[in-house]
Structures are given as C-alpha cells and as structure tokens.
Amino acid sequence: MSSGRRSRQSSGSSRITDDQIIELVSKLRQLVPEIRERRSDRVSASKVLQETCNYIRNLHREVDDLSERLSQLLATIDADSAEAAIIRSLITQ
Amino acid sequence: MNNPRRLSSSCSMTNIKSRFTHGFLRALSRINTRKPSTTREICKRFLRVKLAADASMASAVGSRRAWSRAMLLKMRLRRRTCRDSRITNDKKKKKKMSGSDQKEEVNGIRKAEELRGLVPGGESMEICKLLDETAHYIKCLSTQVKVMTTIADFYSL
C-alpha cells in the first residue's frame, strides 16, 4: 500500500473519499461542453479534468480576444447612459 | 455555514451577470475617457480592458468564493505591473494504468496540478474545494464571455 501518493493536504481534517471526488468530477462534466456532448458514459475522471483545463484555457483566450476587440472599438464609442441601458437590457433578456 | 447555494444558483448567476455588466460598462467608459495617443498607450488599453473585465467579474461575485477572493487580492497586489502572466502547467505525467485503475486515477486527480494553475487561488486548496471552485469559475467565465461578446457585437454594428 503506497502511502507516498497521498496528496499534500494537511492531515487531521476529515478524509475525502474517492467517491466524493468522482461525484464532483461528474458534476464538472456537465459544465464542460466538450464532454457533455459525448454520449458515452465511460469518460474517465482524468479525461474530464483534462478537458476542463482545456476549456478554461479556451475561455481565457476568448476573453483576451474580446478585450482586444473591445479596446479597438472603444475609440468609436461615446458611452453614454442610454447606450449602457440598451446593452443591459440586451444582456438580461 | 450552510448557504442555500443550490436553491438560488440559477438566479444568483443572473445577479452576477447584471452586476458584472454594470461594473464592466462603467469601467469601459472610464478607460474611454483617456484617449490614447501613442502606440504604447494603445497596447496598454487592451490590458486595461482585460483587467477591467476580470476585476468586474471578481467584484460581481464578491468574497463569496475563494477564487474571486484570490483574484481580487492578486489585483490589489499587482498595481505596479501590467503584464498578466497566466502560468500554464504543461507537465502531463502519463501514469500507466496498472492493477487498480480507478485508485491510480483518483490519486492523480487529487494532485490536479494543471487545474490548480488555472483556477485563481487553486494552489493551496484541497481537492473537493478545488473542484467546487472550478465549477463556479467556469460558469462565471462563460458568463463573462457572453456579456463581452454582446457588448462587442453591439458596438460593431
């Protein structure tokens, strides 16, 4: 029995069961589009984690691209309150 | 501490969305007041927008979540430098799936090094909290992307 594989959590707190972890991972699975759309049930938990990491990186990239786009558009904006209200209503639809 | 998060999770995301929109639009008009004249200022603008987006989202979530607390703290400490360095952990340790596959796998998950580098504040979290925070972080990030896309499309017309 290898005790060397224990994670670096501080001991003494309640032990997290493997089942709890698997349950949380399957919850994550629902949020990541890549995996959600695959019909098979047999997606390994480490695959879920990998896809989650990829998904987060993609989202970061999208934020970067959008920031770039917005910074270029800013020059053409006269951001007054009327426009802001329109945008808010579009978003909260 | 028992928060009825699950009951109100969908309407709290709506609240976060509108708080983010409000804060981000305000930040955008603040950035807009300074017209850039040099190339350097134009480059800085992109970073300002990105920081404003991240800050607005973290503020919209507030201190309810560990990741937003970590992000707000990091931003306060980062006043001097503009460069955002996102550390991507490219180490992929391929473990051989021997005997008890699931046990090996779960041990790998407990470490989750790559994920820890991506989620704010994830370095020191224990695994269950990390997975929980990741789920919320993903929801907020995709909300952020949707709102920013709407705004960009609106001004592209």
Side-chain angles (χ1 to χ4, degrees):
Chain A
M1 183 154 154
S2 58
S3 54
R5 281 198 196 279
R6 291 273 178 254
S7 69
R8 39 195 168 93
Q9 325 164 4
S10 53
S11 55
S13 51
S14 61
R15 200 176 165 270
I16 313 289
T17 65
D18 292 352
D19 285 338
Q20 278 177 300
I21 292 181
I22 290 170
E23 198 186 306
L24 280 169
V25 168
S26 62
K27 194 173 102 172
L28 260 185
R29 197 181 142 181
Q30 298 306 311
L31 293 170
V32 180
E34 267 294 308
I35 313 174
R36 202 176 54 211
E37 277 139 30
R38 286 185 207 167
R39 292 298 168 193
S40 74
D41 291 330
R42 309 289 292 169
V43 181
S44 72
S46 54
K47 180 77 173 158
V48 172
L49 274 195
Q50 190 55 52
E51 290 296 335
T52 305
C53 291
N54 293 342
Y55 185 49
I56 292 180
R57 272 195 281 265
N58 282 341
L59 287 172
H60 284 164
R61 249 198 307 271
E62 280 195 58
V63 170
D64 287 351
D65 291 343
L66 282 165
S67 301
E68 179 78 51
R69 213 175 131 198
L70 279 172
S71 68
Q72 286 164 2
L73 286 170
L74 267 182
T76 63
I77 298 173
D78 282 323
D80 61 4
S81 56
E83 287 182 346
I86 294 171
I87 293 172
R88 270 199 291 278
S89 63
L90 279 175
I91 284 166
T92 52
Q93 261 172 9
Chain B
M1 199 157 106
N2 242 346
N3 317 355
R5 272 199 301 244
R6 286 201 193 102
L7 292 173
S8 58
S9 64
S10 56
C11 62
S12 69
M13 193 47 66
T14 313
N15 290 342
I16 289 175
K17 196 178 184 188
S18 49
R19 276 202 299 269
F20 167 70
T21 309
H22 191 77
F24 184 51
L25 283 175
R26 272 211 321 260
L28 278 181
S29 39
R30 267 201 306 270
I31 297 173
N32 198 27
T33 52
R34 316 186 207 181
K35 302 289 180 193
S37 45
T38 66
T39 318
R40 191 160 172 265
E41 278 172 30
I42 294 174
C43 291
K44 274 178 84 172
R45 228 183 198 202
F46 149 70
L47 288 167
R48 280 211 186 96
V49 173
K50 190 169 85 165
L51 283 176
D54 288 343
S56 303
M57 181 46 85
S59 302
V61 175
S63 52
R64 278 195 297 272
R65 282 284 177 169
W67 72 261
S68 58
R69 285 195 299 269
M71 191 179 261
L72 287 169
L73 183 64
K74 198 161 54 166
M75 286 182 159
R76 273 185 216 128
L77 297 173
R78 206 209 274 138
R79 288 256 180 84
R80 302 272 167 90
T81 57
C82 292
R83 254 281 154 233
D84 181 19
S85 56
R86 288 208 166 99
I87 304 163
T88 49
N89 213 332
D90 282 317
K91 298 179 214 166
K92 284 179 196 168
K93 293 180 186 165
K94 291 214 168 152
K95 292 190 176 159
K96 268 191 183 173
M97 295 292 217
S98 60
S100 50
D101 285 356
Q102 201 181 60
K103 186 85 180 158
E104 288 251 351
E105 218 179 271
V106 175
N107 282 331
I109 289 163
R110 282 178 193 267
K111 289 182 193 162
E113 286 171 37
E114 212 181 336
L115 191 59
R116 286 178 194 281
L118 288 169
V119 176
E123 299 84 12
S124 51
M125 284 179 199
E126 57 92 7
I127 184 66
C128 274
K129 192 163 169 76
L130 176 67
L131 294 176
D132 192 40
E133 292 285 317
T134 303
H136 193 263
Y137 184 54
I138 288 178
K139 280 189 218 162
C140 290
L141 264 183
S142 62
T143 302
Q144 185 176 338
V145 166
K146 278 188 209 137
V147 172
M148 288 173 81
T149 306
T150 306
I151 296 177
D153 289 344
F154 178 81
Y155 283 116
S156 301
L157 289 172

